[in-house]
Amino acid sequence: MDHPLARLTAEEIRAARILLDHAGLLTKATRFAVLALEEPPKQEVLAFTEGEPIERRVRAVLLDSDTGRSRTVLASISRDEIDQVTDVDPAVDGQPPILLEEFGAADEIVKSDARWQAAMARRGITDLDLVCACPLSAGSFDVPGEPGRRMLRVLSFLQHHQSDHPWAHPIDGVVAYVDLTSQEVVELIDHETRPIPQEEANVDDPGYVGPARMTLRPIEIVQPQGRSFVVEGDVVRWEGWSLRIGFDAREGLVLHQIAFRDGERDRPIIYRASIAEMVVPYADPGPVRYWQNYFDAGEYLLGQQANSLTSGCDCVGDIHYLDVVVTDGDGAPREIQNAVCLHEEDFGVLWKHTDLFTGSAETRRQRRLAISFFVTVGNYDYGFYWYLYLDGTIALEVKTTGALFTSSYREGDEWASEVAPGLGAPYHQHLFCARLDMTIDGVTNAVEEIDVRREPVGPRNPQGNAFARSVTRLTRESDAARVAEPALGRSWHIVNPQQTNRLGRPVAYALYPQGQPTLLADESSSIARRAAFATRHLWVTRYDPAQRYPAGELVNQHPGGAGIPRWTAANRGLDGEDLVVWHTFGTTHIPRPEDWPVMPVDTCGFVLKPVGFFDRNPTLDVPPPFAPPCG
Ligand code: CU
């Protein structure tokens, strides 16, 4: 390994498994829910110089499938030693994430249950091979006997044949509560029989879709001299930018040590950027689906669900792919080919001016480097696109697409849209939490909230035209739990109070939120306790290497209160400290008929822009377009 943050390799995963085995931590029933790189603390990484010895540690979450007991393990594969073993109390600490193999297990368990079979028979369904049993995270509710048990809840969908898309035919009114350890249906709620929508949704069937249009002529992205970025191992350099690519089974793509070359200096901006959590809470309060909310990172592991991408379809241009390695339930490495895509994109005009007086006319074109991956979690597909622009802008765009989660719709249903005849799509939110471990020109940072402010008419403002900014330093963690205010143009500046630009002002990057609704569930709800991060757009915490995930380490069935609410209760000072910014953003999805049978990409995200980080526009040296000559 050449760097402490290098991605865990297949060999290291194998070595870690052997180490845990030799330490007596594995039995035949042991399943690996997580095996990941334990990153060294930031100060160690920042102090690292090339060629120094590197210690490699891993973190594992082990589940005993016979007993349902689980434990977390920290181990050093460099020292060949187990550093820590912690038993998990699932009623208090939460459950390990859902394993891919448990999807199949849930299907078998419900299909062998007589009550569930009877519920299907009541709905006229006899061929159980055509029923897709959907393994859904159980959440944490006052269901008697449930705390401490490893649960899934199962809603089912019907296929007309083996290649028929099941989401079109929800078998509504019935839900099975499944214990994965005892492998039984603990409770079957057969609330009511609703009609099963019949219209199909087979977007891959030409007979359903109809003839393809013939009017689209090819668009080809040609880069005759190749791409402008350089990839050395996991380090990427492009137009002043440098960063290191990481990939985590839980967060997926991670960007480490994002810096921008300015003169002779590589100026750090973000030490580590990732989507550390996301949750999809649904709005239907009825007895069949009040519990529906999915933490796609903490419960299902975004990185584990990464797609293998295809050039020409998922990405166009001169593409560089990275294969990634995750771990399967046996603790063996599993490679996902072409999981991370890097490419450059033309992005329209960067700057332009035609001068009234001199006649000068100059145009430059913007470009961005896109670093992305796509996941499929059940019915939904999410693309995560980080963009670095020539002018120092950093943006994250999440593309949400795929199939809606569906219900049987009846007139007057308040919590769902009708998207096809008799087919409902319950309202829901997609709320993401970006963890932005900031290093604006170093680790001494502070955060300011910037609003625009109306000035009342008075001696200072006799004509009433005045407006100004109001700047509030967020000095403690309790002050830094904030919501966006679109009408005030609210943004947050991450500044380095010790580094100034040529105007003598602290260098800064601004976070511009989109300001869409935060969590809409009631404050007293289970999901508000479990996804407290989603109740605010912004949180700022003092850096602590153990504070990784905003809803806590083990999110699955966790009763709530972990992560951000627990950490910020310490109310640490934030002024001139090493800071992590947590930004919640996302969409509130009231499905449209046009979102069916497959949803055109919707986007959400945020933008970070330099504000006095540079001394002037850093793109004056971008040459005019190559060909054809402008003007
Ligand atoms: Cu949605």
Side-chain angles (χ1 to χ4, degrees), residues 56-72:
R56 299 285 280 176
R57 298 173 85 207
V58 295
R59 177 160 43 94
V61 180
L62 305 178
L63 172 71
D64 185 312
S65 60
D66 283 348
T67 62
R69 286 206 201 98
S70 55
R71 46 181 32 170
T72 58

Side-chain angles (χ1 to χ4, degrees), residues 82-159:
I82 304 291
D83 290 339
Q84 195 181 76
V85 179
T86 310
D87 286 321
V88 172
D89 177 352
V92 177
D93 306 322
Q95 287 276 355
I98 299 161
L99 286 117
L100 287 175
E101 65 205 40
E102 288 174 323
F103 292 16
D107 183 86
E108 283 177 28
I109 293 166
V110 295
K111 286 183 180 171
S112 58
D113 183 84
R115 290 164 299 168
W116 186 84
Q117 291 167 4
M120 293 301 118
R122 270 195 293 283
R123 290 162 174 81
I125 301 163
T126 49
D127 184 354
L128 299 186
D129 286 343
L130 291 176
V131 178
C132 298
C134 205
L136 303 167
S137 55
S140 175
F141 298 93
D142 296 328
V143 179
E146 210 167 78
R149 297 176 91 157
R150 185 164 176 79
M151 302 295 296
L152 286 176
R153 302 191 206 281
V154 175
L155 292 170
S156 301
F157 296 82
L158 185 65
Q159 292 176 300

Side-chain angles (χ1 to χ4, degrees), residues 380 400 404 417 425-430 587-592 595 599 602:
Y380 251 98
T400 60
L404 297 164
S417 307
Y427 304 158
H428 58 276
Q429 297 184 280
H430 304 264
T587 55
T588 296
H589 194 179
I590 308 295
R592 305 171 299 148
D595 290 337
M599 185 184 151
D602 193 12

Side-chain angles (χ1 to χ4, degrees), residues 618-630:
T619 65
L620 299 185
D621 60 342
V622 172
F626 298 106
C630 286

Side-chain angles (χ1 to χ4, degrees), residues 269-497:
I269 298 168
I270 307 181
Y271 174 74
R272 190 183 191 281
S274 68
I275 296 300
E277 194 52 88
M278 64 167 286
V279 65
V280 188
Y282 280 74
D284 186 336
V288 176
R289 48 166 56 88
Y290 70 88
W291 47 267
Q292 263 191 297
N293 51 67
Y294 314 127
F295 291 76
D296 286 350
E299 292 176 340
Y300 288 96
L301 304 181
L302 290 174
Q304 286 278 11
Q305 319 284 346
N307 291 177
S308 284
L309 300 171
T310 313
S311 189
C313 290
D314 297 300
C315 328
V316 293
D318 194 326
I319 304 299
H320 184 92
Y321 284 119
L322 293 175
D323 303 334
V324 303
V325 180
V326 293
T327 316
D328 67 15
D330 293 326
R334 175 170 71 90
E335 188 180 68
I336 306 173
Q337 290 181 347
N338 292 0
V340 174
C341 171
L342 287 94
H343 70 281
E344 280 172 281
E345 291 177 355
D346 179 276
F347 198 65
V349 171
L350 165 62
W351 56 261
K352 181 175 177 67
H353 180 59
T354 303
D355 197 85
L356 175 64
F357 298 107
T358 70
S360 135
E362 296 287 337
T363 299
R364 301 293 183 274
R365 290 195 68 81
Q366 175 70 289
R367 267 193 218 192
R368 62 187 185 186
L369 178 67
I371 308 170
S372 69
F373 77 116
F374 237 106
V375 304
T376 302
V377 190
N379 53 305
Y380 251 98
D381 301 78
Y382 298 100
F384 297 88
Y385 285 66
W386 290 95
Y387 298 123
L388 305 175
Y389 293 80
L390 294 177
D391 65 347
T393 299
I394 301 170
L396 175 74
E397 181 178 72
V398 180
K399 299 175 192 269
T400 60
T401 181
L404 297 164
F405 202 97
T406 54
S407 61
S408 174
Y409 184 86
R410 77 179 145 217
E411 210 46 47
D413 195 340
E414 272 187 84
W415 324 106
S417 307
E418 188 176 28
V419 295
L423 183 71
Y427 304 158
H428 58 276
Q429 297 184 280
H430 304 264
L431 297 170
F432 304 85
C433 187
R435 181 180 183 277
L436 303 168
D437 184 341
M438 303 302 295
T439 44
I440 302 295
D441 263 344
V443 294
T444 309
N445 286 179
V447 177
E448 292 173 344
E449 182 168 279
I450 315 291
D451 290 347
V452 289
R453 174 176 65 78
R454 284 199 168 86
E455 178 75 18
V457 170
R460 277 159 36 94
N461 182 26
Q463 301 299 328
N465 62 300
F467 64 91
R469 295 194 317 159
S470 76
V471 178
T472 310
R473 185 71 71 98
L474 307 176
T475 56
R476 304 205 75 82
E477 288 176 334
S478 61
D479 305 326
R482 307 297 298 162
V483 291
E485 288 284 358
L488 299 178
R490 179 167 291 171
S491 63
W492 295 289
H493 286 190
I494 300 98
V495 306
N496 186 326

